Amino acid sequence: MTKRNGPACVPAIQRYDGSLWQTLRAVDPYGEKAKVALLSAHLGFRAASSPIETYDARMTDQVAAAMKVRDLGTRWPGLDVMRHLVELFRTGGYVVSDARVREIYGPIGQMRRDLRLWLDGHDGEGP
């Protein structure tokens, strides 16, 4: 929800400025530890390196339900939708069936800690 102002289009990893994005940039400033994607109510599923403009859109249950019906060619909000999307990617052969996906959720302090540990390979799973 928190975005930086600036040039019209910048990579999403630079545009988004919430706590987890700040942690990601601090721990992996050159994008060498993980391939990061984002899920946006406005833009859908994108690589964090994708140039984006600033926008204001909220993810709602109604938007999520409508997007899940339309499969891969649409926008995707929410954790439930992300799980659905990952399954579609696996089924469609876009990612290997045993690709590791790490979910990080909970209170913001816990998520920041878990993200840092995961990126640094200290939680036993690694990126």
Side-chain angles (χ1 to χ4, degrees), residues 28-43:
D28 192 13
Y30 304 106
E32 298 170 337
K33 296 182 178 188
K35 292 187 182 209
V36 178
L38 63 102
L39 197 53
S40 162
H42 180 67
L43 301 168

Side-chain angles (χ1 to χ4, degrees), residues 2 18 27-28 42 51 67 88 92 98-99 102 107 110-111 122:
T2 305
V27 177
D28 192 13
H42 180 67
M67 292 178 179
L88 288 174
D98 62 346
R102 177 76 163 134
Q110 177 184 327
M111 289 192 302
H122 298 298

Side-chain angles (χ1 to χ4, degrees), residues 25-72:
R25 287 191 303 266
V27 177
D28 192 13
Y30 304 106
E32 298 170 337
K33 296 182 178 188
K35 292 187 182 209
V36 178
L38 63 102
L39 197 53
S40 162
H42 180 67
L43 301 168
F45 187 73
R46 304 273 174 111
S49 59
S50 298
I52 65 168
E53 295 181 356
T54 192
Y55 65 89
D56 186 21
R58 293 210 181 259
M59 295 185 200
T60 65
D61 290 340
Q62 294 80 13
V63 171
M67 292 178 179
K68 284 170 68 174
V69 169
R70 293 185 270 168
D71 292 331
L72 292 175

Side-chain angles (χ1 to χ4, degrees), residues 9-26:
C9 281
V10 296
I13 195 166
Q14 299 302 322
R15 174 73 68 202
Y16 292 120
D17 204 33
S19 298
L20 292 177
W21 291 99
Q22 292 172 15
T23 300
L24 177 63
R25 287 191 303 266

